[in-house]
Each structure stands twice: as C-alpha cells, then as structure tokens.
C-alpha cells in the first residue's frame, strides 16, 4: 500500500519491481531527480502509467502514452516492456471474435510503445500482439542525412509489415467494424 513515490528518497535503489502490489501513484510525478540510480522500474496497474494500467476510454490513450513517452525519453530502459489495456468496464470495450477471454481476443484493446531507430510511438494491438493497428508516432521522422535514418527505415518497414487486418486504423475499430473486418477475412459468418 501507499504511493510508489514514497520510495523515491531511497536513492541507492537500482531495481524496483512493485508489480502485483497495491501501491498507487502517477508516473507523471517522477522528476529528473527521483530514482537517480534506478535501472528498471515495474509498477502495478494501480499506478497511472503502471504495467497493465486500465484505460477507461480509448480517448485516454494519447495522454497516457505521452506520460510514459516522457519517462522513456529521459531514461530509455526504466519502464521496460510497458503496456496498458482498455478496461473491460469501459464503454469502448468489446470481446472480439470467438472469445470472452481478453487474452485470446482479436480486438486491438491494448497499447504498447513501438520504436523504430530513435523514433518512438505507440499503437493499439491485441493482447497477444498479433493484430496491431497503425503506429501513432510521438517523435518526428529522423532527417534523411542522419546516421539513424537507415536504421529507422529498416525498423519502420518491419513494423509496417506487422500491420495486417487493421491497416488504416490508428485506434481500435468499433465492435461492428471489427466484426465486418474479420468477416471479410473469412473468420466469421
């Protein structure tokens, strides 16, 4: 229990894994002087921006992604393989095809950060990462003359190849659109 920021004064911490605990807080409260030696930070879903944090609406994703992005830009390795999910209590949530289990759902109701070279963005995808939407980029494209440009283009093309059924979608489709998309692919009648 308590706020994870109460541990910020323990400046000698190198790793802090609070996943599965009841701590609360907000990652936007992390200042540049907090957790100076910390190399990895895993926060539970009770923390705004924690691992698996429940979004209440699809429209909440941009603000959350920007909060996580700002931490990632300051300290790239700190949050590790972060993700957030749309809450099953959200009015925007739906089951997907053939499953009432969110972990088997085809619906892209989870957001993850995506990186191509130095460029960072986020995208909606199914929990198993098999069905991503298009990336919403938070960084500008690197300059063509930069050293990073070729690395970026290669990673960008790989990311683009991962997008299939949700090509053209930057956020989850409605349930009706979802069912039509999957029906057009022959997965449902």
């Amino acid at each position: 229990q308590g706020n994870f920021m109460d541990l910020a004064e323990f400046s000698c911490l190198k790793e802090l894994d609070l996943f599965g605990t009841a701590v609360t807080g907000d990652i936007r409260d992390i200042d540049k002087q907090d957790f100076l030696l910390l190399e990895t930070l895993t926060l539970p879903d009770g923390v705004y921006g924690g691992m698996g944090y429940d979004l209440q609406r699809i429209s909440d994703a941009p603000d959350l992604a920007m909060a996580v992005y700002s931490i990632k830009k300051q300290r790239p390795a700190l949050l590790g393989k972060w993700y957030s999910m749309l809450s099953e209590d959200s009015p925007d949530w739906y089951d997907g095809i053939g499953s009432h289990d969110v972990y088997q759902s085809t619906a892209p109701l989870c957001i993850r950060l995506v990186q191509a070279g130095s460029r960072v963005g986020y995208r909606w995808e199914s929990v198993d990462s098999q069905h991503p939407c298009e990336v919403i980029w938070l960084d500008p494209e690197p300059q063509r003359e930069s050293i990073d440009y070729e690395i970026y283009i290669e990673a960008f093309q790989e990311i683009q190849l991962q997008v299939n059924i949700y090509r053209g979608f930057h956020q989850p489709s409605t349930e009706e659109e979802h069912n039509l998309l999957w029906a057009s692919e022959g997965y449902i009648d």
Side-chain angles (χ1 to χ4, degrees), residues 20-32:
T21 67
V23 298
T24 59
D26 188 325
I27 63 166
R28 296 171 293 190
D29 294 337
I30 299 174
D31 192 33
K32 290 178 183 173

Side-chain angles (χ1 to χ4, degrees), residues 142-159:
Q143 297 291 321
R144 289 186 185 270
E145 310 81 42
S146 72
I147 296 168
D148 185 50
Y149 189 73
E150 283 186 41
I151 296 167
Y152 158 71
I153 288 297
E154 191 174 305
F156 173 79
Q157 289 172 341
E158 188 174 310
I159 288 167

